Amino acid sequence: MFRKNFLTLLDEKYYFWALYLPNWESADYQERLKRFVDDNFRSFVGRVFRSAETSKCLILALERKIVDASEVGATDDYRIIRSKVEDAGCEVFYLQPSEIWEDDELRRHPGWEEESLKL
């Protein structure tokens, strides 16, 4: 129940996108991805992350109220980030929080099985 409520809260407050730089299959991709984040650190700080399951892409999270209030031609955070992503030629995919944090029994921490909790 907690997880469901938390994902609902994230969905109500944030937009999430998966960002892939061009040629994500290339051998130098991880270095280019690191350089892209480093070059845009001020814009991305606290707004992008990468998980072990999604090592080829960055997950961008922006508050809905900021995105929804943005106007074409504005110089707000959303428009600045959007411009940097477009200039880099990124492929962009909209995500739901439940797509990022799947409900998977295999992700449970080892050792937390019911049997191990018996004293």
Side-chain angles (χ1 to χ4, degrees):
M1 180 64 111
F2 174 80
R3 182 184 181 286
K4 181 181 173 219
N5 290 340
F6 185 67
L7 291 176
T8 299
L9 175 71
L10 287 175
D11 191 44
E12 290 172 357
K13 300 286 184 186
Y14 293 91
Y15 288 115
F16 293 92
W17 296 273
L19 308 177
Y20 290 84
L21 289 176
N23 303 315
W24 60 268
E25 318 81 5
S26 66
D28 69 337
Y29 184 75
Q30 294 301 327
E31 179 57 36
R32 289 187 302 114
L33 193 61
K34 181 184 179 317
R35 191 175 31 227
F36 176 65
V37 172
D38 289 347
D39 290 348
N40 297 292
F41 179 78
R42 287 182 176 238
S43 297
F44 288 159
V45 69
R47 296 181 173 131
V48 295
F49 65 93
R50 188 171 70 169
S51 70
E53 295 85 14
T54 59
S55 63
K56 294 285 187 182
C57 75
L58 296 171
I59 305 296
L60 171 65
L62 294 174
E63 288 182 77
R64 283 181 178 265
K65 66 181 180 182
I66 291 171
V67 174
D68 292 345
S70 181
E71 297 177 7
V72 173
T75 57
D76 55 45
D77 288 349
Y78 170 64
R79 292 289 168 184
I80 291 169
I81 291 171
R82 183 177 170 145
S83 174
K84 291 176 185 296
V85 167
E86 288 173 353
D87 290 348
C90 292
E91 290 184 64
V92 180
F93 301 93
Y94 179 74
L95 298 171
Q96 296 288 323
S98 59
E99 294 174 293
I100 301 167
W101 296 283
E102 295 178 37
D103 190 11
D104 186 350
E105 290 295 319
L106 298 176
R107 292 187 187 196
R108 290 180 181 238
H109 188 278
W112 283 87
E113 296 85 15
E114 194 172 322
E115 287 292 319
S116 69
L117 298 177
K118 291 181 182 176
L119 299 177

Coordinates of all heavy atoms in Angstrom, one line a residue, residues 43 47 66 69-84:
S43 N 22.3 22.6 -14.7 CA 20.9 22.4 -15.1 C 20.3 21.1 -14.6 O 19.1 21.0 -14.3 CB 20.7 22.4 -16.6 OG 21.1 23.6 -17.1
R47 N 18.0 16.6 -10.7 CA 16.9 16.3 -11.6 C 17.1 15.1 -12.5 O 16.2 14.6 -13.1 CB 16.7 17.5 -12.5 CG 16.3 18.7 -11.8 CD 16.1 19.9 -12.7 NE 15.6 21.0 -11.9 CZ 16.1 22.2 -12.0 NH1 17.1 22.5 -12.8 NH2 15.5 23.2 -11.3
I66 N 6.3 23.3 -12.6 CA 7.3 24.0 -13.4 C 7.1 23.8 -14.9 O 7.1 24.8 -15.6 CB 8.7 23.7 -12.9 CG1 9.0 24.2 -11.5 CG2 9.7 24.2 -13.9 CD1 10.3 23.7 -10.9
A69 N 3.7 25.4 -16.1 CA 3.7 26.8 -16.1 C 4.7 27.4 -17.2 O 4.6 28.6 -17.5 CB 4.2 27.4 -14.7
S70 N 5.5 26.6 -17.8 CA 6.4 27.1 -18.8 C 5.7 27.5 -20.1 O 4.8 26.9 -20.5 CB 7.5 26.0 -19.1 OG 8.4 26.4 -20.0
E71 N 6.2 28.6 -20.6 CA 5.7 29.1 -21.9 C 6.7 29.0 -23.0 O 7.9 29.1 -22.7 CB 5.2 30.5 -21.7 CG 4.1 30.7 -20.7 CD 3.8 32.2 -20.5 OE1 4.3 33.0 -21.3 OE2 3.0 32.5 -19.6
V72 N 6.3 28.8 -24.2 CA 7.2 28.8 -25.3 C 8.0 30.1 -25.4 O 7.4 31.1 -25.2 CB 6.4 28.6 -26.7 CG1 7.3 28.7 -27.9 CG2 5.7 27.2 -26.7
G73 N 9.3 30.0 -25.5 CA 10.1 31.1 -25.5 C 10.6 31.6 -24.2 O 11.5 32.5 -24.1
A74 N 10.1 31.0 -23.1 CA 10.6 31.3 -21.8 C 12.0 30.8 -21.5 O 12.5 29.9 -22.2 CB 9.6 30.7 -20.7
T75 N 12.6 31.3 -20.5 CA 14.0 30.9 -20.2 C 14.0 30.3 -18.8 O 14.9 30.4 -18.0 CB 15.0 32.1 -20.2 OG1 14.5 33.1 -19.3 CG2 15.1 32.6 -21.6
D76 N 12.9 29.6 -18.4 CA 12.9 28.9 -17.2 C 13.6 27.6 -17.2 O 14.2 27.2 -18.3 CB 11.4 28.6 -16.7 CG 10.6 27.9 -17.8 OD1 11.1 26.9 -18.4 OD2 9.5 28.3 -18.1
D77 N 13.7 26.9 -16.1 CA 14.5 25.6 -16.0 C 14.1 24.6 -17.0 O 14.9 23.9 -17.6 CB 14.4 25.0 -14.6 CG 15.2 25.8 -13.6 OD1 16.0 26.7 -14.0 OD2 15.0 25.6 -12.4
Y78 N 12.8 24.4 -17.2 CA 12.3 23.4 -18.1 C 12.7 23.7 -19.5 O 13.2 22.9 -20.3 CB 10.7 23.4 -18.1 CG 10.1 22.5 -19.2 CD1 10.4 21.2 -19.3 CD2 9.3 23.1 -20.1 CE1 9.9 20.4 -20.3 CE2 8.8 22.3 -21.1 CZ 9.0 21.0 -21.2 OH 8.5 20.2 -22.2
R79 N 12.6 25.0 -20.0 CA 13.0 25.3 -21.3 C 14.5 25.2 -21.5 O 15.0 24.8 -22.6 CB 12.5 26.7 -21.7 CG 11.0 26.9 -21.8 CD 10.5 26.2 -23.0 NE 9.1 26.0 -22.9 CZ 8.3 25.4 -23.8 NH1 8.9 24.8 -24.8 NH2 7.0 25.3 -23.6
I80 N 15.3 25.6 -20.5 CA 16.7 25.4 -20.6 C 17.1 24.0 -20.7 O 17.9 23.6 -21.6 CB 17.4 26.1 -19.4 CG1 17.2 27.6 -19.4 CG2 18.9 25.7 -19.3 CD1 17.6 28.3 -18.2
I81 N 16.6 23.1 -19.9 CA 16.9 21.7 -20.0 C 16.4 21.1 -21.3 O 17.1 20.3 -21.9 CB 16.3 20.9 -18.8 CG1 17.0 21.4 -17.5 CG2 16.3 19.4 -19.0 CD1 16.3 20.9 -16.2
R82 N 15.2 21.5 -21.7 CA 14.7 20.9 -23.0 C 15.6 21.3 -24.1 O 15.9 20.5 -25.0 CB 13.3 21.5 -23.2 CG 12.6 21.0 -24.4 CD 11.2 21.5 -24.5 NE 10.8 21.1 -25.9 CZ 9.5 20.8 -26.1 NH1 8.6 20.8 -25.2 NH2 9.1 20.5 -27.4
S83 N 16.1 22.5 -24.1 CA 17.0 23.0 -25.2 C 18.3 22.2 -25.2 O 18.8 21.8 -26.2 CB 17.3 24.5 -25.0 OG 18.3 24.9 -25.9
K84 N 18.9 21.9 -24.0 CA 20.1 21.1 -23.9 C 19.9 19.7 -24.4 O 20.8 19.1 -25.1 CB 20.6 21.1 -22.5 CG 21.1 22.5 -22.0 CD 21.5 22.5 -20.6 CE 21.9 23.9 -20.1 NZ 23.1 24.5 -20.7

